[in-house]
Amino acid sequence: MKEHNGKMVTILAIESSCDETAVAILRDPVGDGERVEVLCSEISSQIEIHREYGGVVPELASRNHSLALLPLVKTALGNAGVSISDVDGFCATGGPGLASSLLVGHTAAKGMAVAVSGGRPFISVNHMEGHLLSPFIMRENGVEPNIALVVSGGHTMIIENRGFGEYELIGKTLDDAAGEAFDKVAKMLQLPYPGGPEIEKCAEGGDVKAYKFPRSMLKKPHFDFSFSGLKTAVLYTLSELDTVEGKPRERDLPDLCASFQKAVIDVLVAKTMRAVRERGLSKLSLSGGVSCNKALRAAFGEACERAGVELLICSPHLSTDNAAMIGYVGLQKLIRGEFSDLSCDVNPNMPLNAMKMRK
Ligand code: KG4
Ligand code: ZN
């Protein structure tokens, strides 16, 4: 039931699960959840702060969220031209993520929901549901059935999405997530954090066939992934190369990165396309930070064209962590009257069944 049908609905969303503080304001002019306008999507990145440590330091992340968040809310309201009293609901990421970081955004959103005159609903949003639905934010028909590949720093999942709230997890990584593999291999190659974009840059002009890296579980009938063997294979190759204090020579980097990147992409494309075929769907969506990778996008573009499948991808700024994707889920829940209790807690390991998953 869509409680707001026929009425304009505005939501303010906060994302603070990891190292990006983000605030977005979204509006649905008619309250049916189909054509949603992103009035603003602001991000204050902490990447520079964590870079010198080679990864996210949780205590630094939460402190910096609390410094950045409320000024960012003010900026967002100003840029959207919205007064806080015009906001119909407040939502924030409740998990998965770093507990102390999640708490900053979650608590701020609850506070605003209570403080606005008359009170407003608060909605706790699953970060992965945000990624999953991000390819629909800029479309006009709401959430349509599709096979989704969600590839982020912490997750790699193939999901059959039958519509909002009706998700079936059909495959996942059994060890490292794809983004994690990019980040760990980048660390081995002594490239800066975060590793994914650095590997992509270094892979340009490299020979994808220079090194024979494994394509794990490609022949298995299930849809699960494993990337830890690939990571070990890169480490082994590196130990046999001529390095300077463990760092490969500039001349070897492009081939190493291109061969590694291709091994990840081959497995992701093969398994996801098989899921599309077996489930008989005509749409495939790609989301999560790794879906920014241009070689990955191109490989899926070609595979989908060959198979006559429509590929749904959002722009890179909606693929990595952002608050618009949290607002999109929050808005869908708001118009359906699915509110969270003000006493609800964050959950760093928010389980997939919080997305009504079945497997
Ligand atoms: O979705 P996301 O922003 O945050 C999480 O929820 O984890 O994903 C971050 C991950 C990191 O592992 C990062 O290295 C990876 O996405 N990533 C990329 C690219 N851009 C970000 N991986 C490969 N190529 C990229 N261009
Ligand atoms: Zn994410």
Side-chain angles (χ1 to χ4, degrees), residues 127 131 152-154 179-180 182-183 194-197 200 288-290 292-293 319-321:
H127 181 84
H131 278 306
S152 70
E180 199 177 349
F182 268 95
D183 294 337
E200 174 170 18
V290 182
C292 292
N293 187 284
S319 301
T320 49
D321 288 350

Side-chain angles (χ1 to χ4, degrees), residues 61-223:
S62 53
R63 282 168 169 244
N64 281 285
H65 283 310
S66 69
L67 296 181
L69 184 56
L70 290 179
L72 205 60
V73 168
K74 259 183 110 171
T75 305
L77 288 166
N79 288 350
V82 166
S83 143
I84 197 159
S85 57
D86 296 334
V87 175
D88 300 300
F90 294 85
C91 65
T93 307
L98 301 168
S100 52
S101 288
L102 290 163
L103 275 169
V104 177
H106 216 237
T107 309
K110 284 180 183 178
M112 287 187 267
V114 171
V116 172
S117 172
R120 296 287 188 273
F122 165 72
I123 296 154
S124 184
V125 172
N126 186 311
H127 181 84
M128 300 317 296
E129 190 171 12
H131 278 306
L132 175 69
L133 302 190
S134 57
F136 294 94
I137 301 174
M138 296 303 189
R139 289 170 64 87
E140 304 218 323
N141 303 321
V143 180
E144 296 167 279
N146 71 98
I147 288 291
L149 173 68
V150 188
V151 267
S152 70
H155 295 78
T156 298
M157 306 188 282
I158 299 183
I159 293 164
E160 182 178 337
N161 178 352
R162 300 189 190 110
F164 180 73
E166 290 183 56
Y167 317 124
E168 182 186 355
L169 177 65
I170 58 179
K172 62 180 186 325
T173 182
L174 302 178
D175 40 55
D176 292 341
E180 199 177 349
F182 268 95
D183 294 337
K184 287 180 176 170
V185 165
K187 214 167 191 172
M188 283 177 207
L189 303 178
Q190 300 189 23
L191 295 170
Y193 165 85
E198 296 295 327
I199 293 214
E200 174 170 18
K201 254 189 270 164
C202 289
E204 275 168 34
D207 177 3
V208 296
K209 292 191 180 138
Y211 298 95
K212 287 204 172 10
F213 290 138
R215 271 75 170 151
S216 299
M217 298 187 167
L218 204 52
K219 303 250 155 56
K220 295 271 192 288
H222 57 64
F223 294 101

